[in-house]
Amino acid sequence: MKGRFLTFLIGDETYGIAIENVMEIIGIQPITEMPEIPDYIKGIINLRGSIVPAMDIRLRFKKPETGYTERTCVIVIRIGGMSTGLIVDCVSEVLPIPDEEISAMPEIKSGDRRGYVRSIGKFENRIILLLDCEKLLNEVELETVSAQL
């Protein structure tokens, strides 16, 4: 499994998540909104009896919100021991990206750089932004979300 990434689109940009972080991929589900949670957490979904927070990756990355379509998917991952659904525009494919095709992120000075992108993968002539799943929610955000469940 090492070196394999599930790729997905947000607009025209391709992102990847290490396949070992992915629990499953499902179509968009009915989402129950919750009060007092960050706007990028759209609410919760019922995944076979388990309550899972659903995070809209577009909003998390400060991109404009768009409506969900039949291609919209939820990638269920584990963050801080909690299952979390990542709402993405569409899932692409699983790609093998060897270590020699992965580069570190360039140093860019930014006041609120959270480090969501761990590194940059190259596959054929494409660039894939490889995410650090653990940084999608920090400890405070994890506590806020888990307290609402």
Side-chain angles (χ1 to χ4, degrees):
M1 291 292 207
K2 186 164 174 31
R4 295 173 56 86
F5 296 86
L6 174 68
T7 60
F8 61 89
L9 296 176
I10 298 295
D12 294 331
E13 295 173 356
T14 303
Y15 293 87
I17 296 175
I19 198 75
E20 60 263 18
N21 293 329
V22 177
M23 296 172 61
E24 65 182 296
I25 303 163
I26 57 176
I28 193 70
Q29 305 285 307
I31 299 173
T32 302
E33 292 184 16
M34 300 281 297
E36 300 180 29
I37 56 176
D39 65 340
Y40 52 85
I41 304 290
K42 296 303 282 182
I44 55 175
I45 58 175
N46 182 347
L47 184 63
R48 293 181 302 282
S50 295
I51 301 302
V52 176
M55 177 193 309
D56 190 315
I57 293 296
R58 276 187 160 276
L59 298 179
R60 186 61 174 148
F61 293 173
K62 297 181 176 26
K63 296 196 176 287
E65 188 169 8
T66 62
Y68 300 146
T69 69
E70 69 280 348
R71 297 198 60 189
T72 303
C73 290
V74 179
I75 303 170
V76 181
I77 63 169
R78 291 201 68 75
I79 299 176
M82 178 175 69
S83 294
T84 303
L86 306 180
I87 302 168
V88 302
D89 292 355
C90 70
V91 169
S92 299
E93 58 191 322
V94 174
L95 295 176
I97 305 176
D99 288 344
E100 58 271 11
E101 293 298 321
I102 297 175
S103 304
M105 279 293 296
E107 283 296 318
I108 300 172
K109 298 292 181 200
S110 168
D112 188 32
R113 187 168 179 275
R114 296 285 304 270
Y116 305 131
V117 177
R118 172 184 293 169
S119 52
I120 299 169
K122 294 175 281 246
F123 185 80
E124 295 172 350
N125 62 346
R126 299 185 299 186
I127 297 224
I128 297 133
L129 303 173
L130 304 175
L131 298 183
D132 185 340
C133 293
E134 295 296 320
K135 294 201 176 162
L136 290 173
L137 288 173
N138 64 33
E139 284 183 41
V140 172
E141 292 164 330
L142 271 172
E143 287 175 19
T144 300
V145 171
S146 62
Q148 297 294 317
L149 302 180

